[in-house]
Amino acid sequence: STDALVKKLEELAPEKAPDAPAAPALTNIGAQLIASVMSMQGSEMPPTAVELEACKKEESAYITLMAKWSTLKGAPKQ
């Protein structure tokens, strides 16, 4: 139904960010990806395990979000 499709879209791209740390959404995933690599920017040291894990976590969130978006885009139009 159209209502279900709208609800899924609102989950992927909320109009207003919640006060709590935001779950990955189309509106914030880019910033979250950038934030995960900023601690390595300009460093002369190799990345730490914690930094690499943060990057992997955000990459996984991105892949999951884009899969949901692709599914939603491919949904039959009502």
Side-chain angles (χ1 to χ4, degrees), residues 49-71:
V50 171
E51 290 169 331
L52 292 174
E53 187 60 34
C55 291
K56 287 180 188 177
K57 179 182 171 192
E58 292 305 328
E59 181 182 25
S60 177
Y62 171 81
I63 290 168
T64 300
L65 183 64
M66 290 298 105
K68 289 178 182 178
W69 174 238
S70 292
T71 300

Side-chain angles (χ1 to χ4, degrees), residues 4 6 12 18 20 24 28 30 32-33 35-36 39 42 46 51-53 58 63-64 69-70 72-73 76:
V6 168
L12 293 178
N28 67 7
Q32 289 180 349
L33 286 165
S36 73
S39 62
E51 290 169 331
L52 292 174
E53 187 60 34
E58 292 305 328
I63 290 168
T64 300
W69 174 238
S70 292
L72 187 60
K73 286 191 321 182

